[in-house]
């Protein structure tokens, strides 16, 4: 069973940066989608970045493109989200998530498959780490 543990959240002033980590533990497999989502009270989970881990193919939400950078460190089994130029509207609980890809999904479509998964498609979630951006 895969488990996820986020860290790195905290308070930061607008314009600042924050680096979030998601430690992956347990029995992982090749063929994996991972993602960073965020949520504020009363709102749906919102995708920040979705990743086809095996080829490090990353899809960003429009608000994240150019400011946020996601990556997967294979050696450390850690998903990273580097956030820069933070704004008060980035204040949210940030959660990482994991989805093993079924064998029926062929390699050529796996990047797009990962890039299009909505929150309900992911079976495994971390508890989240809160990021608060003050103006």
């Amino acid at each position: 069973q895969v488990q996820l543990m986020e860290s790195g959240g905290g308070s930061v002033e607008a314009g600042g940066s924050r680096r979030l980590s998601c430690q992956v533990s347990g029995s992982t497999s090749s063929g994996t989608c991972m993602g960073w989502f965020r949520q504020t009270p009363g709102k749906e989970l919102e995708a920040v970045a979705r990743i086809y881990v095996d080829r490090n193919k990353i899809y960003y939400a429009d608000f994240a493109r150019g400011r946020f950078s996601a990556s997967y460190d294979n050696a450390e089994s850690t998903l990273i989200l580097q956030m820069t130029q933070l704004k008060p509207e980035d204040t949210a609980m940030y959660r990482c998530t994991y989805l093993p890809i079924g064998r029926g999904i062929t390699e050529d479509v796996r990047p797009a498959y990962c890039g299009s998964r909505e929150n309900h498609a992911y079976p495994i979630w971390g508890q989240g780490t809160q990021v608060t951006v003050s103006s």
Side-chain angles (χ1 to χ4, degrees):
Q1 177 71 16
V2 172
Q3 293 184 318
L4 308 174
M5 178 67 72
E6 302 92 338
S7 62
S11 297
V12 60
E13 291 186 353
S17 300
R18 205 76 192 180
R19 185 175 186 266
L20 306 184
S21 298
C22 173
Q23 181 69 52
V24 182
S25 61
S27 180
T28 59
S29 61
S30 61
T32 300
C33 305
M34 291 194 71
W36 283 104
F37 285 73
R38 68 185 188 182
Q39 189 170 29
T40 53
K43 292 189 177 181
E44 288 273 336
L45 277 163
E46 177 180 43
V48 178
R50 286 170 280 203
I51 301 133
Y52 175 40
V53 173
D54 300 57
R55 286 166 51 184
N56 206 32
K57 180 66 176 177
I58 304 167
Y59 298 84
Y60 294 98
D62 287 344
F63 67 81
R65 196 171 295 112
R67 297 191 299 129
F68 295 0
S69 177
S71 60
Y72 188 77
D73 184 333
N74 274 297
E76 299 293 331
S77 297
T78 301
L79 182 67
I80 304 294
L81 182 67
Q82 179 68 48
M83 304 187 292
T84 65
Q85 302 172 52
L86 284 163
K87 304 174 182 179
E89 52 263 44
D90 294 319
T91 295
M93 179 70 76
Y94 285 74
R95 301 178 68 186
C96 67
T97 187
Y98 180 99
L99 167 65
I101 301 172
R103 293 181 180 181
I105 308 297
T106 56
E107 175 63 30
D108 58 331
V109 300
R110 285 185 172 191
Y113 176 84
C114 289
S116 62
R117 295 306 95 190
E118 297 299 332
N119 57 19
H120 54 79
Y122 291 86
I124 299 171
W125 292 83
Q127 291 297 309
T129 187
Q130 176 70 33
V131 174
T132 302
V133 184
S134 59
S135 57

